[in-house]
Amino acid sequence: MSARLILRLPATPGEPFDWALVSPAEGVLMEGRGDSVGGLAEGTVIDCVVALIPADLMHLRHVSIPARSERAAQQAAPFAIEEYLAAPLDTQLIACGLPDGANQRWVAALDSGLAGAWRALAERVGIRPVHAVSEAMLLSPGEDALACAFIDGRIIWRSRSGAGGLAGGAPDAVSDLVLPALAGAVSAQTISLSGGHASHHAALDGYPVRHGPALDVYQAAAALDLATLKAAPAVLGPRLAASADWAAVLQPWARAAALALTAGALALATVAAEGVWLSREAQRFEAASLAAFTAAFPDVRRVVNPRVQLEQRLREMDVASGGGDSFLALTSALAGVVSDAPHIDITAVRFQADRAELSVAARYRDFADFEALRSAGEAAGLQLEDAGARQGADGVDGEFIVRWRE
């Protein structure tokens, strides 16, 4: 057996509330009043909870909000309803529902403190999903019509028209003033009135009124279609409107998550400690290499990079001993660089042993090719120095010097 749990949220936080377990087919199965719901029949399947908000405590308006996303619609909602509110925006919770086929949404505004108290009450009941709707949404006016009803000492109303609609409520004490003003404001072609007494009927004298029996709140709430409930603004928060309480579902995994975080923190600490050790070892090796280079070449006053300076000294020694190896090393390095530059054609190479450098003549498409070759040479440890270039009809004829970088 499936049913809906209907909660009638109290106007004053902390007061007892009425509730009923209602089946659309069988009517009220159980009902009660208090600060909790208890004693539900075993085996009862509750499809959802419908939390009814007193209509006079929530302003509802059906408006068009052209937005590309739900987030953008929520951000625009306060501006769509601000001019209709008597309370400051910073005291209100404003939420918008899902769009219908005409891209119109219900936008709701209610006191933030009340919303928080009702949210706590719904969480205490502990059944999901919870759909919070105004009592005025229990009314079902036709197109270009106004529906009114009297419940629990207040009048509630809802109107529908092609341009939008509104829903709300007011204390019964002012209903004689509210009814004619409301009928005139919405320009309704027909007005349905549920309950009420002679003064209410007299207040609508001259309007096309259709009288009906008193509104059965529980039965009307149980009959609300699921699409209407889901399209209503989630004034109690989207988490309660979800079919599952993921916080409760994930709670058993909290300890595992904490252990995983601890293990991750220990792993990071280990990596950090290893990094510190490797840094110290690198510093120690660098100090040892500086000491060895200084001992081998006491004439060098400034040691910046022992490896590069050692290679430079070796090249100098190679030049002093004849330079054959230096020529081969330079030409081999240049050949490796030129092999990756298809637009460079080497036309002549001359080696100057006394300066350990190559004088190269080449042809290339434009000056950018030489700059690319220069950058590639620097990456390979070579220094390419432009020695002149001449723009020709079919490219550039240039000369440049190649030596090892110091």
Side-chain angles (χ1 to χ4, degrees):
M1 177 179 59
S2 63
R4 284 182 180 177
L5 179 62
I6 313 299
L7 306 179
R8 303 193 68 181
L9 299 176
T12 304
E15 285 189 350
F17 62 92
D18 295 317
W19 62 270
L21 188 64
V22 186
S23 167
E26 302 178 34
V28 177
L29 305 176
M30 294 183 63
E31 59 183 314
R33 178 180 175 81
D35 57 1
S36 63
V37 175
L40 298 179
E42 186 176 352
T44 301
V45 177
I46 299 178
D47 295 332
C48 66
V49 177
V50 179
L52 297 177
I53 296 175
D56 56 330
L57 298 181
M58 183 167 73
H59 184 89
L60 267 178
R61 190 166 290 266
H62 204 226
V63 296
S64 175
I65 302 181
R68 295 184 178 180
S69 66
E70 294 304 311
R71 181 179 179 183
Q74 182 61 48
Q75 292 174 341
F79 303 99
I81 202 172
E82 180 179 11
E83 63 179 297
Y84 304 109
L85 301 180
L89 274 180
D90 58 358
T91 66
Q92 302 294 294
L93 182 148
I94 298 178
C96 65
L98 299 178
D100 59 16
N103 201 30
Q104 291 187 319
R105 307 164 183 261
W106 282 105
V107 179
L110 70 157
D111 182 84
S112 301
L114 274 177
W118 290 336
R119 185 183 305 113
L121 186 155
E123 289 176 344
R124 192 166 66 248
V125 170
I127 301 173
R128 296 166 189 263
V130 180
H131 301 290
V133 295
S134 168
E135 293 169 331
M137 297 302 293
L138 302 179
L139 303 175
S140 183
E143 189 69 23
D144 296 325
L146 170 66
C148 303
F150 291 88
I151 57 173
D152 296 338
R154 57 184 174 271
I155 179 176
I156 64 174
W157 65 80
R158 179 182 173 189
S159 72
R160 179 182 297 165
S161 68
L166 69 152
D172 192 4
V174 297
S175 59
D176 292 347
L177 300 175
V178 170
L179 280 172
L182 190 61
V186 300
S187 301
Q189 297 180 5
T190 60
I191 301 174
S192 62
L193 184 63
S194 300
H197 47 73
S199 67
H200 301 141
H201 303 165
L204 291 174
D205 188 28
Y207 290 96
V209 181
R210 184 177 67 250
H211 300 286
L215 178 67
D216 186 336
V217 174
Y218 288 138
Q219 197 63 40
L224 283 173
D225 62 275
L226 193 59
T228 299
L229 294 175
K230 289 184 176 180
V235 293
L236 300 187
R239 191 169 68 87
L240 281 171
S243 58
D245 185 358
W246 292 109
V249 171
L250 296 176
Q251 188 174 4
W253 298 93
R255 185 176 180 182
L259 291 174
L261 288 174
T262 302
L266 290 175
L268 287 175
T270 302
V271 171
E274 185 177 356
V276 171
W277 180 81
L278 290 174
S279 177
R280 290 179 177 175
E281 287 296 299
Q283 292 176 359
R284 186 171 65 84
F285 289 138
E286 183 179 2
S289 63
L290 287 173
F293 184 87
T294 303
F297 304 99
D299 58 312
V300 179
R301 297 182 179 180
R302 185 168 179 264
V303 181
V304 178
N305 189 326
R307 180 176 180 178
V308 173
Q309 289 176 284
L310 179 60
E311 291 177 352
Q312 181 182 358
R313 279 304 182 99
L314 291 176
R315 287 197 297 270
E316 292 173 354
M317 294 172 63
D318 180 60
V319 170
S321 62
D325 292 341
S326 180
F327 169 74
L328 293 176
L330 267 176
T331 53
S332 176
L334 178 61
V337 173
V338 172
S339 65
D340 295 328
H343 304 299
I344 302 290
D345 293 328
I346 303 298
T347 58
V349 176
R350 184 174 67 258
F351 178 66
Q352 298 181 13
D354 57 333
R355 288 182 291 186
E357 61 185 26
L358 296 175
S359 180
V360 182
R363 177 171 294 168
Y364 36 91
R365 296 182 308 176
D366 53 41
F367 297 100
D369 292 333
F370 174 73
E371 293 302 325
L373 182 67
R374 188 204 303 269
S375 299
E378 290 178 355
L382 298 176
Q383 179 181 348
L384 276 69
E385 180 181 333
D386 186 12
R390 183 175 64 259
Q391 179 72 51
D394 55 349
V396 178
D397 293 319
E399 295 183 358
F400 55 89
I401 305 300
V402 181
R403 63 173 67 91
W404 293 108
R405 291 181 61 187
E406 298 181 355

